[in-house]
Amino acid sequence: MHAVRVGGIEVAYDRVGQGPPLVLVHGAMTDARLWRAQVAELADEFTVIAWDEPGSGRSSDVRPSFVLADYARCLAAVVEDAGLGPAHVVGTGWGGTVVLELYRHHAGLVRTLVLVGTYAGWKGSLSAAEVRARVEGAERMLDVPDEEFAPTMPALFAGRPPAEAVRTLSLMSADTRRLSMRTELTIMAEADLRDLLPGIEVPTLLLWGELDMRSPVEQVARPLLEAIPRATLVVLPGVGHLSNVEAPETFNRTVREFCRAQS
């Protein structure tokens, strides 16, 4: 494990392999373990870096005042700590929103973007009614006694997920911290990054599951494709929201080919 301190917060990350840096940014209620299949497969060609965002995994807790730019600042510190120059940066779900904010403030650290089933913030990608429904659902999960706190996220897969993936997701869910979840929820509900999209100058891969119910292709991916000048959309057939877990071989091959072409 590697770690870097940012304003009193210790941010942990794994680093495996050699080659151009490939930074993996997990989504809400998960941590670096989400990327096990990518770390194992892609480290032969890339220096693969998978962080535990502040408030998850082995990293320190977030402060109640944390904002999206703070997550981006911590991610920038990880990229800088690796010392390998601009990175291919992959973000899934909420993690992709963090990656977009990283580009806003630290564009020089980004060689390419890979956005996986992500959003320009919920406010920037979803209807007001859908945002309200998600906030209300999350609040119900948060408003339970500690002994009953076991957050889950619906509609992650299109089909039956691999048994090992279910076990790993269960472990990550059990390790979810209430304050972290509430902070992410507050930020995501209000985030609207649409103003940033036309100014993105690096090659950008939009990698989507065809059957992603949490971030539907037509509702979320297509507007991103239209707004980001150098974006390419690849849709993985028969796959849901967590495409890196549900179809790791296809996911890894697509990321490898894209990043190799841009390296």
Side-chain angles (χ1 to χ4, degrees), residues 70-237:
D70 292 319
Y71 286 97
R73 180 164 56 95
C74 291
L75 182 56
V78 169
V79 178
E80 291 170 339
D81 193 60
L84 297 174
H88 305 290
V89 188
V90 182
T92 184
W94 146 259
T97 304
V98 174
V99 165
L100 285 170
E101 189 73 359
L102 171 74
Y103 186 85
R104 181 191 298 277
H105 297 286
H106 308 278
L109 297 177
V110 179
R111 181 185 298 272
T112 66
L113 293 170
V114 181
L115 305 177
V116 184
T118 193
Y119 314 87
W122 281 354
K123 189 175 181 179
S125 290
L126 303 174
S127 68
E130 176 64 19
V131 173
R132 283 196 302 272
R134 293 192 182 197
V135 170
E136 290 169 0
E139 289 290 354
R140 285 193 294 271
M141 285 191 287
L142 287 163
D143 292 338
V144 297
D146 289 343
E147 62 272 16
E148 298 177 18
F149 184 61
T152 59
M153 190 180 297
L156 292 179
F157 300 102
R160 184 183 297 275
E164 180 60 31
V166 172
R167 285 191 289 271
T168 301
L169 287 169
S170 296
L171 290 171
M172 289 188 289
S173 175
D175 290 340
T176 297
R177 305 174 205 173
R178 194 187 298 262
L179 175 59
S180 298
M181 183 176 168
R182 189 176 293 281
T183 301
E184 291 174 351
L185 171 67
T186 301
I187 293 172
M188 198 61 163
E190 292 298 324
D192 185 347
L193 279 62
R194 286 176 290 183
D195 66 304
L196 169 68
L197 305 180
I200 295 176
E201 298 179 349
V202 298
T204 300
L205 173 63
L206 307 175
L207 185 51
W208 245 257
E210 176 192 19
L211 304 179
D212 188 338
M213 300 299 293
R214 292 198 59 80
S215 180
V217 174
E218 293 302 321
Q219 181 182 0
V220 181
R222 295 289 180 191
L224 292 176
L225 180 65
E226 294 172 3
I228 300 173
R230 301 178 65 185
T232 301
L233 173 63
V234 173
V235 178
L236 303 182

Side-chain angles (χ1 to χ4, degrees), residues 88 111-112 203 230 257-263:
H88 305 290
R111 181 185 298 272
T112 66
R230 301 178 65 185
E257 292 173 354
F258 173 77
C259 293
R260 178 187 288 164
Q262 305 302 330
S263 293

